[in-house]
Amino acid sequence: MNIIFSTPKKFYIASSFQNIEDVRYVKDQLIAKGFQHTYDWTQNSRAANLEELQRIGNAEKEAVQHADFLIILLPAGKGSHIEFGLALANDITIYLYSPNEDVYDMNFTSTFYHLDNVRIIVGTHQQLLENIFINEQ
């Protein structure tokens, strides 16, 4: 009998500091299900100088590149959208979470939100997690 062990899928979560508790909640739920987190930016305080920005930026870039999937929790800031671009460039699946329908509103959405490797989830964090559990297990 051949036993196949699968390695846990790796994820990164991008968002803004205003969503830090939501990011931690989603992260904890995924880790509890056996997923690996590539980098926890919520442990950082805001960078005080350019050297810190560079160190954090390098860590976040590497974390996105090593992830099997990226989660963006909207509303997100400019750094999150750069991470979104890195994931697009590396053909990484992106779960774009929005608590409301703004993601479909032409005044708020982005061209890149609607590409093939982007999965838009509107609703609750639990709906986001269920979608990830179904598609990434």
Side-chain angles (χ1 to χ4, degrees), residues 8-63:
K9 287 204 173 178
K10 297 176 291 221
F11 70 95
Y12 179 78
I13 304 174
S15 194
S16 63
F17 271 101
Q18 74 184 41
N19 295 329
I20 202 163
E21 292 307 318
D22 294 335
V23 170
R24 288 176 176 159
Y25 172 78
V26 170
K27 173 197 70 163
D28 291 344
Q29 297 303 306
L30 290 169
I31 290 171
K33 288 285 191 180
F35 293 93
Q36 281 186 343
H37 195 204
T38 58
Y39 180 73
D40 188 357
W41 60 265
T42 69
Q43 300 302 311
N44 300 331
S45 56
R46 290 195 186 268
N49 57 53
L50 296 177
E51 289 79 20
E52 285 180 27
L53 273 179
Q54 182 181 33
R55 180 186 55 75
I56 293 168
N58 281 323
E60 291 176 348
K61 175 185 171 195
E62 185 174 310

Side-chain angles (χ1 to χ4, degrees), residues 28-110:
D28 291 344
Q29 297 303 306
L30 290 169
I31 290 171
K33 288 285 191 180
F35 293 93
Q36 281 186 343
H37 195 204
T38 58
Y39 180 73
D40 188 357
W41 60 265
T42 69
Q43 300 302 311
N44 300 331
S45 56
R46 290 195 186 268
N49 57 53
L50 296 177
E51 289 79 20
E52 285 180 27
L53 273 179
Q54 182 181 33
R55 180 186 55 75
I56 293 168
N58 281 323
E60 291 176 348
K61 175 185 171 195
E62 185 174 310
V64 171
Q65 291 174 321
H66 287 109
D68 295 305
F69 61 95
L70 171 71
I71 302 164
I72 302 279
L73 298 182
L74 295 177
K78 63 184 178 216
S80 298
H81 285 85
I82 292 168
E83 291 159 341
F84 185 100
L86 286 167
L88 285 176
N90 286 284
D91 204 29
I92 296 168
T93 300
I94 300 167
Y95 291 88
L96 181 64
Y97 169 78
S98 179
N100 56 51
E101 299 282 332
D102 283 353
V103 72
Y104 297 114
D105 185 325
M106 293 301 289
N107 294 313
F108 298 105
T109 197
S110 167

Side-chain angles (χ1 to χ4, degrees), residues 90-137:
N90 286 284
D91 204 29
I92 296 168
T93 300
I94 300 167
Y95 291 88
L96 181 64
Y97 169 78
S98 179
N100 56 51
E101 299 282 332
D102 283 353
V103 72
Y104 297 114
D105 185 325
M106 293 301 289
N107 294 313
F108 298 105
T109 197
S110 167
T111 305
F112 299 103
Y113 289 179
H114 304 280
L115 297 179
D116 289 340
N117 62 321
V118 179
R119 296 185 173 137
I120 298 173
I121 312 297
V122 175
T124 66
H125 293 121
Q126 194 57 41
Q127 289 169 308
L128 166 67
L129 290 163
E130 287 170 7
N131 196 294
I132 292 170
F133 296 154
I134 289 167
N135 289 297
E136 300 297 334
Q137 291 282 352

